Amino acid sequence: MKNRKKNYILLGMLLIMMIAIVSIILINSNPNDVSETIKTEDQAISEEKENELKEEKEDSEALQDELENSSELQDEGKVAGEEPQQKQQQQQPEDKKYKENNGYIEGQTLPSEPTYIKGVLIANKKYPLPKDYAPGENVEARAAFELMAQEAKTLGFELVAFSTYRSYEYQELLYNKYVERDGKENADRYSARPGYSEHQTGLAFDIGEKGREDLWLTEAFGQSEAGKWLAENAHRYGFILRYPKGKEHITGYMYESWHFRYLGVELATKVKDSGVTLEEYLGIDK
């Protein structure tokens, strides 16, 4: 019994000693160590965040610089592309206007009366005819053609006027057909819009050679013997080659070796001798 009690006392003293030792250790330890550790961790976290923010700022600045450079390049490209165009517009305003409108005055309405300039009936892309203007084939022009055809026949050329007067409605059918086939821009180069066709005056004659129908409505007709003779002698019968080569920017139409306009012998001879188009001769080419 005494021995058991002695053991309890020893255990209790041992426990007290252990508690005392732990207390001494805690008391002697530096509380600043813990604080310093916490401070170090906070500083590390702070520095990490600061670095992240710095990197984000650098990335943002780099992106901004890239965008600015890209914008400057786009502006330079835009200016580089516009300056030559502006110079070209300043140098050739009429050509640009012609190309944009295909020679027509866009939005123009048909007149109630045909246009005469210096006594000459005009039908072109700037001077249209009334929709109801329907004179039919000009009698005087037909008579002059027949005389010309007679002389040509003695030289071995049998001339044929395969297209003369066209009504507004017929021209409308033709033009729409060409637009459907070749597109409006292309059609405008060789076919007049309804109301703008010289054929509606009854004074325009499309001429070819019988037996050479393959050359009708082609530039090649102008290189044939019949075509060459016609271009050089038609004025003696009152006709002029209406749409000569190299004058599309003035007449509005491509070279048509087959299209002749009756003006009467006196005026046709003057225009032929001048070497210019009807528009230039009358001063309406601007």
Side-chain angles (χ1 to χ4, degrees), residues 13-26:
M13 291 176 67
L14 182 59
L15 180 60
I16 292 170
M17 289 177 66
M18 291 177 63
I19 293 172
I21 292 171
V22 172
S23 298
I24 292 170
I25 293 173
L26 292 174

Side-chain angles (χ1 to χ4, degrees), residues 56-95:
E56 289 179 359
K57 183 178 180 181
E58 290 176 352
D59 291 342
S60 177
E61 291 176 350
L63 179 60
Q64 183 66 28
D65 291 341
E66 184 178 348
L67 290 174
E68 289 178 356
N69 292 334
S70 176
S71 178
E72 290 175 359
L73 289 174
Q74 289 178 358
D75 290 341
E76 289 175 0
K78 185 177 181 181
V79 172
E82 286 179 352
E83 285 181 350
Q85 185 176 2
Q86 290 173 353
K87 290 180 181 179
Q88 184 176 5
Q89 289 175 359
Q90 293 173 358
Q91 293 172 356
Q92 298 177 332
E94 291 299 326
D95 288 348

Side-chain angles (χ1 to χ4, degrees), residues 152-183:
K153 194 171 185 178
T154 63
L155 299 173
F157 315 126
E158 189 168 353
L159 301 180
V160 178
F162 57 84
S163 181
T164 59
Y165 169 72
R166 299 176 194 161
S167 66
Y168 175 95
E169 291 75 18
Y170 183 56
Q171 184 65 32
E172 186 175 33
L173 289 174
L174 284 178
Y175 177 76
N176 290 339
K177 176 184 176 182
Y178 295 141
V179 169
E180 182 179 356
R181 186 187 68 185
D182 300 327

